[in-house]
Amino acid sequence: MVSKRITDSKRFWGPATVLAIIAFAGFAASVAVNWPGHFPPDGIAQLAQGRSGVYNFWHPPVMAWLLGLADRIIAGAPLFIVMQAGLFFAALTALASVRRPGWSGAALLGVIAASPLALIYQGLVVKDVLFADAAVAGFAAIAWAARLWARPLPRLALCVLALALLCLAALARQNGATVALIGAIGLAAVAAAKARRHRRRVLIGVTLASAAAMIIAGLGAERWFAVHSDHQPEVARQWMMLQLYDLSGAARADPTLAMPALRARAPAVEEFVRREAAPAYDVERVDDVLKLERWKAIIARPDPAVGAAWRGLILMSPGLYLADRWRVFRQVFLTPDVQACDPVLVGVDPGDAAMLKAAGLAARDTPKDDWDGDYASAFLGSPVFSHLAYAVLAAILLALAVRDAARGEIVMIATVGLLAAALAYAASFFIISIGCDYRYLYFLDVAAMAALVQRAARVRLG
């Protein structure tokens, strides 16, 4: 009897239990140190929209909607960071425990929970964190669907959950559709691997069905948000900003650059680009040119001539365009001056009093906020704040996951999808980046962490 009790006790306090306890402790610590959430200007604006029920498409409105729901339960939406942190730690735990975990996974999860990218960033109310958490959780659901494939009801529930989370990710970030598509292919690859016959048909069919389900759900949500929006052409304005930014950078690098489309159709815009925008251009962020009054006017009323000039730049001067894009991408990916990329955002930004009032917030910079900021800042300059380090780690783990999947470990297909999606997402910023904020590539960091915890959990000690 005594021997059986000892055996049961050891079984209960095994790695899986300790992993869950560490995950819950990390979740509780993150919520405690960040409560009631850190709000930069983007988060304040989206909370204000969520409270009013009128959405603006400059930022994906799904986050404003979620903030509005959280605000109706507790004013100020602190429950939003509870949801975020819960999703993050649940996703990492799910990936680590998809196979019976070892002690190494629990130990590494403890280290990650103490990282500022987990402890502090999960309290940051921005779309990048929501997107990253939803994406990782979506792939974790695919991994568990692979494990429980033989059980129809759990399989169906996990597939639906995976598609819902990936759809949320696509709605939360303008370039998140790539991640959702890779997720659909990953789920289809699992189904094909589990199928006894017609695997190619299963792969194609499930990919199309999964993609169609997310597209229908996403378009339905976007339509609902559009009906409840301020009806401003924000997507067109964002593209106009990117195009103007690229033209300004090219004109700064080569003052003799020909812009025939602008010269013929909008000579005043060409003059502005050469004389004002190009000198104000900064590879680190678009903020300096945003201050120009003429820039604001062009963005407010998008001019098709700018788009024609931008396409002309790409087609007629591809070397100049690519060189300029590399300089911008280098800032967001390599962050040579990480301090310039706003790596630490804590408290509530005091910049816009009217927006704060609409959001039901007050500017905040408490001693607890200072502690959060100091803790995160202590890691600046280390690999903890290095997208390059996480990209290298992700590439190594991707190669290992591909090897394992090829050997018949079907659950590793989800990890292949997760890491491929993170690297593809990061690469998309080569085209769209107009600023180097550290949080933009947060998904890459989190995906590498999640895959590393999963890999460590496979290691058996003793």
Side-chain angles (χ1 to χ4, degrees), residues 18 44 49 181 183 190 264 293 336 377 382 419:
V18 173
I44 296 169
Q49 293 172 36
L181 176 60
V190 170
E293 291 302 320
S377 297
S382 75
L419 294 170

Side-chain angles (χ1 to χ4, degrees), residues 104-120:
S104 299
L108 183 58
L109 182 58
V111 173
I112 288 175
S115 161
L117 294 186
L119 184 65
I120 307 302

Side-chain angles (χ1 to χ4, degrees), residues 60-155:
V62 69
M63 182 166 168
W65 175 69
L66 289 172
L67 283 167
L69 294 179
D71 180 74
R72 291 183 183 92
I73 299 171
I74 300 179
L79 289 182
F80 183 82
I81 67 166
V82 176
M83 181 272 291
Q84 270 192 170
L87 199 56
F88 172 83
F89 283 100
L92 264 63
T93 304
L95 276 174
S97 59
V98 71
R99 293 183 56 183
R100 189 165 63 89
W103 289 106
S104 299
L108 183 58
L109 182 58
V111 173
I112 288 175
S115 161
L117 294 186
L119 184 65
I120 307 302
Y121 261 60
Q122 286 301 313
L124 186 59
V125 182
V126 290
K127 64 189 176 212
D128 310 273
V129 177
L130 173 65
F131 163 74
D133 294 347
V136 175
F139 283 100
I142 293 175
W144 272 91
R147 175 175 171 174
L148 302 177
W149 199 263
R151 298 165 61 182
L153 287 179
R155 178 182 69 208

Side-chain angles (χ1 to χ4, degrees), residues 343 370 422:
D370 292 339

Side-chain angles (χ1 to χ4, degrees), residues 339-362:
Q339 289 280 16
C341 299
D342 291 338
V344 182
L345 300 168
V346 295
V348 177
D349 188 88
D352 190 328
M355 193 66 71
L356 282 170
K357 183 178 180 181
L361 298 173

Side-chain angles (χ1 to χ4, degrees), residues 14-48:
T17 301
V18 173
L19 181 78
I21 292 172
I22 290 174
F24 181 78
F27 158 75
S30 179
V31 171
V33 301
N34 295 308
W35 188 272
H38 303 300
F39 284 83
D42 292 356
I44 296 169
Q46 289 181 293
L47 176 55

Side-chain angles (χ1 to χ4, degrees), residues 245 252 277-289 328 331 434-435:
Y245 185 68
R252 179 167 180 143
Y281 176 83
D282 183 355
V283 294
E284 288 183 347
R285 59 185 63 250
V286 73
D287 295 29
D288 287 344
V289 287
V328 176
Q331 299 299 315
I434 57 174

